[in-house]
Amino acid sequence: MNKNIILCGVGGQGTVLASRLISASAMARQIPVLSAETIGMAQRGGSVFSHVRMGDGLYSPMIARGEADLIIGFEPGEAVRQLPFLKPDGQMIVSSRPVMPVTAALSDTGYRAEAMLEYLSSRVSRLVVVDAEKALRDVGSPKVLNLILLGAALRAGALGLSAEDLKASVRRLIPEKFHALNFRALDYEP
């Protein structure tokens, strides 16, 4: 089972933690995993993305264009930016919640998340849009979008991992006082 997964968003959304949870879960199951991340702009609201590759015969952590099985988009515009990496039959899980990227704010381009979501729905046949505002309200915290999106990817059968795999990684990587909240986010279903 080989899986190529790209996670993308803007700094502060939890994309790096989500990629680490996926990687740790794969390693715990003895699945070879390679990953690479851009985190330089993570504290400034800039673009952040991670490539996670799981399976045998991997020699590079980077995913070539047109080779991603799954893209998890924490922000619609960033999901559009990573779209060239998705396989023709690939799957995308994307948050509906816009976070204006720094580049859009600086150039005053009139960024609209709705236009990004329309663009994605016209080009991705296996698209799941998560109503992030509602999910975050229902779960009770604005800080667990990453686990909500991982849960949506699990329910879509796109990760190649189980909920228990991810919960075990949450137990190992996240302080215990946040376990219940993160499990609630992972299990969230609209």
Side-chain angles (χ1 to χ4, degrees):
M1 177 223 42
N2 282 14
K3 282 277 185 191
N4 291 323
I5 303 168
I6 294 177
L7 299 94
C8 57
V10 297
Q13 288 188 297
T15 56
V16 173
L17 177 58
S19 72
R20 290 182 180 163
L21 289 169
I22 292 169
S23 296
S25 298
M27 288 188 294
R29 289 189 49 201
Q30 306 297 309
I31 300 170
V33 63
L34 296 173
S35 66
E37 359 181 272
T38 61
I39 57 174
M41 293 293 290
Q43 297 301 315
R44 296 181 186 89
S47 294
V48 176
F49 64 87
S50 299
H51 287 214
V52 179
R53 301 186 72 206
M54 301 185 302
D56 294 319
L58 304 175
Y59 301 102
S60 168
M62 301 306 290
I63 299 168
R65 288 179 179 264
E67 294 297 319
D69 299 295
L70 171 65
I71 294 177
I72 301 176
F74 288 60
E75 201 287 324
E78 294 301 321
V80 168
R81 187 187 315 256
Q82 296 299 317
L83 186 57
F85 288 93
L86 191 64
K87 284 181 175 179
D89 64 338
Q91 188 156 16
M92 182 178 282
I93 310 295
V94 66
S95 164
S96 62
R97 182 182 190 199
V99 177
M100 186 177 293
V102 169
T103 52
L106 292 174
S107 61
D108 194 26
T109 59
Y111 173 76
R112 289 184 333 109
E114 301 82 22
M116 301 297 160
L117 293 170
E118 288 171 16
Y119 181 83
L120 290 171
S121 71
S122 72
R123 284 165 175 76
V124 179
S125 61
R126 297 173 60 207
L127 177 68
V128 174
V129 177
V130 175
D131 182 343
E133 295 295 339
K134 180 181 183 330
L136 293 168
R137 266 193 321 274
D138 290 351
V139 171
S141 173
K143 298 184 180 204
V144 290
L145 178 62
N146 51 1
L147 274 293
I148 289 169
L149 292 175
L150 287 178
L154 282 172
R155 283 184 295 288
L159 278 180
L161 299 166
S162 71
E164 191 46 51
D165 293 330
L166 286 173
K167 287 179 181 180
S169 293
V170 165
R171 287 184 197 98
R172 286 190 307 274
L173 298 175
I174 295 175
E176 185 176 355
K177 65 182 178 180
F178 300 113
H179 288 180
L181 173 62
N182 280 276
F183 295 156
R184 195 164 60 246
L186 189 64
D187 292 335
Y188 175 77
E189 289 190 57

